[in-house]
């Protein structure tokens, strides 16, 4: 018979769940401070580092869901890995496993039939078997080349049946392995960006100025001898709030911005008689097309400017950008 819903009981159970799972992780951490778990973890890291194949992760049910996440974390942090469903492995997918691979099997009981059925074949293939289980006397543990004991005292489930604390321990131990591996590989922000090109860090570290700059006819440019009114029309037409001023050889000589126009008006200058070179700000800040877009952001923030010219090694303007271009590219 269903008991009446009690908000207070729901909150208390939620708190108890977090307490039980937190204690499980603390206990796991304490076991990692000494053998045999510390030795096994170090061996697992070394084994995976020395492997010329991939890490094949497998698990059934809730352990399978955790295994998919562990495989994804490995792959995104420099350790090639993928998940194989143990039931599918018995029907052909085991062909994806080679002798050069490391096979990471997850099962809290260590007796999951779908896993224990394929373990002998994994061993015959010559792959290294790392078992992550909560029972050190289980079938999976006995066949393991390396045993990672992730036992917990109790599940957070009030019936002590549903995988809760045990899967939390598996997930945390998988993360611990991944972090130890990425550190050993010297995996840095640039590497992370390459495996996450669609993320914000990927955009910041992989996007270059040439990818976001305006180029060709979109770059506002006038000669130094041009009337100031022509420069004003170029600023208006190209919509970047500035124009490059070049000499007879096409080399950048200066820049005229909306701010320069306001200052000239404040001074009462006769705009109809000015040439572009008389109104320009010489030696403007520039950036190269191969620089990272994030460097353009830093330069604009440092000098409090909203637009930037892109120049080639010979000093010719080849592009231009402003903060709107960088925002559109999600670099900032």
């Amino acid at each position: 018979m269903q008991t009446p819903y009690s908000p207070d009981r729901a909150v208390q159970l939620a708190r108890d769940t977090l307490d039980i799972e937190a204690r499980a992780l603390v206990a796991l951490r304490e076991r990692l401070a000494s053998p045999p778990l510390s030795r096994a973890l170090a061996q697992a890291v070394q084994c995976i580092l020395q492997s010329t194949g991939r890490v094949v992760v497998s698990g059934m049910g809730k352990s399978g869901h955790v295994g998919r996440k562990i495989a994804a974390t490995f792959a995104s942090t420099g350790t090639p890995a993928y998940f194989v469903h143990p039931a599918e492995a018995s029907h052909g997918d085991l062909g994806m496993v080679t002798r050069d691979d490391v096979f990471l099997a997850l099962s809290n009981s260590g007796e999951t039939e779908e896993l224990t059925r394929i373990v002998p074949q994994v061993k015959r293939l010559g792959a290294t078997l790392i078992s992550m289980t909560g029972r050190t006397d289980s079938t999976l543990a006995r066949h393991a080349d390396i045993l990672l004991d992730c036992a917990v005292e109790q599940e957070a489930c009030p019936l002590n049946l549903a995988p809760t604390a045990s899967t939390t321990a598996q997930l945390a131990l998988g993360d611990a392995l991944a972090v130890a591996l990425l550190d050993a590989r010297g995996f840095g922000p640039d590497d992370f960006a390459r495996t996450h090109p669609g993320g914000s860090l990927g955009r910041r570290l992989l996007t270059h100025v040439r990818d976001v700059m305006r180029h060709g006819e979109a770059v506002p440019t006038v000669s130094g001898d041009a009337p100031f009114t022509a420069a004003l029309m170029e600023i208006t037409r190209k919509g970047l709030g500035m124009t490059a001023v070049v000499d007879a050889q096409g080399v950048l000589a200066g820049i005229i911005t909306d701010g320069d126009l306001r200052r000239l008006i404040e001074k009462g200058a006769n705009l109809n008689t000015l040439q572009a070179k008389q109104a320009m700000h010489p030696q403007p800040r520039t950036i190269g097309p191969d620089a990272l877009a994030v460097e353009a952001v830093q330069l604009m923030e440092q000098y409090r400017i909203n637009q930037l010219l892109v120049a080639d090694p010979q000093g010719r303007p080849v592009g231009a950008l402003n903060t709107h271009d960088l925002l559109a590219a999600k670099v900032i």
Side-chain angles (χ1 to χ4, degrees):
M1 181 177 178
Q2 184 176 351
T3 58
Y5 169 68
S6 167
D8 291 340
R9 176 172 169 76
V11 172
Q12 186 58 53
L13 282 172
R15 295 184 63 185
D16 290 345
T17 298
L18 296 180
D19 284 340
I20 292 169
E21 297 195 359
R23 286 197 298 270
L25 293 184
V26 169
L28 184 61
R29 178 184 178 277
E30 293 304 315
R31 294 209 306 277
L32 263 173
S34 59
L37 187 53
S38 62
R39 186 187 305 117
L41 184 98
Q43 289 174 342
V45 172
Q46 185 175 26
C47 174
I48 294 171
L49 286 173
Q50 293 176 343
S51 170
T52 56
R54 297 170 183 260
V55 177
V56 183
V57 186
S58 190
M60 197 71 187
K62 305 301 184 294
S63 293
H65 294 307
V66 172
R68 289 180 188 278
K69 192 273 180 186
I70 291 174
T73 301
F74 279 166
S76 70
T77 53
T79 298
Y82 61 93
F83 179 83
V84 169
H85 194 285
E88 297 296 337
S90 292
H91 296 275
D93 281 5
L94 200 59
M96 293 187 283
V97 183
T98 73
R99 62 177 301 166
D100 298 319
D101 294 333
V102 175
F103 195 92
L104 175 59
L106 280 71
S107 169
N108 185 46
S109 70
E111 299 294 346
T112 304
E113 183 181 356
E114 292 84 355
L115 269 179
T116 58
R117 187 186 302 133
I118 64 174
V119 160
Q121 183 59 24
V122 170
K123 300 285 286 185
R124 278 196 290 270
L125 286 169
T128 301
L129 175 64
I130 300 176
S131 297
M132 187 183 295
T133 178
R135 284 182 50 194
T136 58
D137 60 346
S138 63
T139 301
L140 204 59
R142 288 195 303 271
H143 285 91
D145 295 302
I146 300 172
L147 173 61
L148 297 176
D149 175 13
C150 60
V152 298
E153 288 189 5
Q154 68 176 112
E155 299 288 7
C157 164
L159 304 175
N160 199 31
L161 295 174
T164 45
S166 59
T167 48
T168 298
Q170 289 176 339
L171 186 61
L173 195 54
D175 284 343
L177 263 177
V179 170
L181 284 163
L182 76 85
D183 179 72
R185 294 184 190 280
F187 190 88
D190 289 348
D191 302 300
F192 190 88
R194 279 188 285 272
T195 60
H196 298 75
S200 60
L201 180 62
R203 287 190 293 271
R204 287 174 61 86
L205 294 182
L206 297 180
T207 303
H208 291 81
V209 169
R210 64 174 176 270
D211 300 323
V212 297
M213 73 180 190
R214 307 185 195 193
H215 53 85
E217 291 297 319
V219 182
T221 309
V222 296
S223 68
D225 295 329
F228 179 80
T229 51
L232 183 57
M233 291 179 62
E234 185 74 350
I235 293 173
T236 303
R237 188 163 47 243
K238 300 300 172 64
L240 276 172
M242 59 90 174
T243 183
V245 181
V246 297
D247 61 18
Q249 287 73 44
V251 175
L252 184 64
I255 188 172
I256 300 175
T257 68
D258 287 340
D260 294 322
L261 172 60
R262 288 193 297 272
R263 284 185 285 273
L264 287 169
I265 292 174
E266 288 173 358
K267 292 178 180 178
N270 187 347
L271 304 183
N272 292 319
T273 62
L274 282 179
Q275 290 182 310
K277 61 185 176 184
Q278 295 172 310
M280 72 181 187
H281 179 77
Q283 299 179 332
R285 306 289 174 186
T286 62
I287 195 167
D290 294 326
L292 291 172
V294 70
E295 294 179 63
V297 175
Q298 293 167 349
L299 197 61
M300 293 164 78
E301 289 177 346
Q302 180 181 355
Y303 294 102
R304 298 182 182 180
I305 54 180
N306 297 318
Q307 56 277 112
L308 195 59
L309 288 167
V310 184
D312 65 15
Q314 289 72 44
R316 294 186 294 265
V318 294
L321 51 82
N322 62 12
T323 52
H324 297 295
D325 298 320
L326 295 166
L327 283 167
K330 297 183 179 179
V331 177
I332 55 175

